[in-house]
Amino acid sequence: LPYEHPQDVNFSFDGPFGTWDYGQLQRGYKVYKEVCSACHSLKFVALRNLGELGYTEAQVKAEAATWTVPGIDPNTGEASTRPGEPTDYFPKPYPNNVAAAAANNNAIPPDLSLITKARADGTNYVASLLTGYRPPSEELLAEHPEAAPGPGLYHNVYFPNMNLAMAPPLTSNGQVTYDDGTEATIGQMATDVAAFLTWTAEPTLVKRKQTGWPVLIFVLFATILAWFSKTQIWAAVK
Ligand code: HEM
């Protein structure tokens, strides 16, 4: 099917000099928390990792406590729940895949920790997918009748088979209230959560890029040094 390639969105972490925009990562975290976490887990990320997004230790503790994680009732020893602590991992929305599939028209919402790595051009793909819901065009249906969404499926121009089991999760401007006053348009929320999910997939992305520069400078220096020592060593040979 003629699905579209992701749009090229501008991100602060693009390119060799890329850096995180911590305000954006915090906004994206809020979108994940208030919207995506209803269905998608983030199982490789610990709540303490939020400390890397510019929150203070006290804020991380308070933020962790807003999540409910599985625990044990200290009085009865029965399975129970308790507020999260920084050492906990992000809790999963469903107890298992059967429950996840049952709640989502038989499709299991994938874990989002690594999704921006698992899909080609993943950051742009996530941002595009969230804003790519529109009804199939007449021309498309004329050529590909199978592109019509079946029951419980939603048409999306960026999804490879063009129909997926995820209803549009971002549906109205202001769906999330940003703490920094940024206007929460659908496009803004999609971009911010895509940035956040890029951080979850590769928290060391910026460090990796920054490490490259001293390495290149050292290699250049070592090459020049090697050149001069070579000319010295062989100076006597005519
Ligand atoms: C699939 C992101 C909210 C249910 C996906 C995929 C991504 C994604 C990237 C994978 C698409 C692929 O396989 O390439 C998000 C984000 C959300 C969000 C960033 C929040 C802004 C939700 C919510 C629900 C949901 C709230 C449930 C009500 C699903 C399901 C699938 C899916 C069932 C599997 C679809 C299929 O394979 O047909 N989501 N999602 N998502 N999502 Fe979400």
Side-chain angles (χ1 to χ4, degrees):
L1 287 171
Y3 69 98
E4 286 173 35
H5 286 279
Q7 282 174 301
D8 198 358
V9 183
N10 274 332
F11 287 97
S12 61
F13 47 81
D14 288 339
F17 298 103
T19 54
W20 296 121
D21 173 346
Y22 292 103
Q24 176 171 59
L25 295 180
Q26 294 191 4
R27 293 193 301 273
Y29 162 63
K30 205 167 182 198
V31 176
Y32 169 75
K33 181 185 182 183
E34 293 184 8
V35 185
C36 326
S37 72
C39 304
H40 291 278
S41 56
L42 209 51
K43 65 180 176 189
F44 295 125
V45 186
L47 294 168
R48 66 180 142 75
N49 296 132
L50 292 172
E52 294 169 36
L53 301 191
Y55 295 111
T56 64
E57 209 175 312
Q59 284 172 323
V60 171
K61 259 193 147 159
E63 198 50 52
T66 65
W67 293 87
T68 301
V69 304
I72 289 173
D73 188 313
N75 300 316
T76 63
E78 300 272 327
S80 164
T81 58
R82 59 171 174 78
E85 287 171 24
T87 45
D88 291 314
Y89 277 69
F90 274 86
K92 298 176 183 169
Y94 303 106
N96 53 53
N97 281 349
V98 177
N104 290 282
N105 201 32
N106 272 340
I108 297 167
D111 183 82
L112 293 183
S113 313
L114 298 172
I115 198 78
T116 58
K117 293 281 184 188
R119 298 289 177 269
D121 198 7
T123 304
N124 286 330
Y125 170 72
V126 170
S128 300
L129 186 77
L130 295 172
T131 52
Y133 289 93
R134 53 203 70 138
S137 65
E138 302 273 325
E139 305 88 75
L140 178 70
L141 288 178
E143 256 185 78
H144 303 277
E146 75 277 21
L153 295 180
Y154 304 85
H155 196 76
N156 190 304
V157 295
Y158 298 107
F159 193 64
N161 72 12
M162 301 199 83
N163 294 297
L164 80 167
M166 173 167 72
L170 301 173
T171 50
S172 58
N173 294 338
Q175 195 170 339
V176 168
T177 305
Y178 282 146
D179 304 319
D180 63 3
T182 302
E183 205 192 331
T185 60
I186 291 176
Q188 184 72 45
M189 291 184 285
T191 308
D192 290 346
V193 79
F196 173 70
L197 294 176
T198 304
W199 170 78
T200 63
E202 194 186 354
T204 54
L205 178 152
V206 167
K207 207 173 181 187
R208 165 169 65 78
K209 292 184 175 185
Q210 287 175 350
T211 306
W213 293 108
V215 169
L216 285 181
I217 291 166
F218 174 78
V219 167
L220 185 68
F221 170 76
T223 308
I224 293 168
L225 201 66
W227 170 258
F228 280 119
S229 51
K230 180 250 173 203
T231 47
Q232 280 254 303
I233 288 164
W234 296 91
V237 182
K238 287 269 134 65

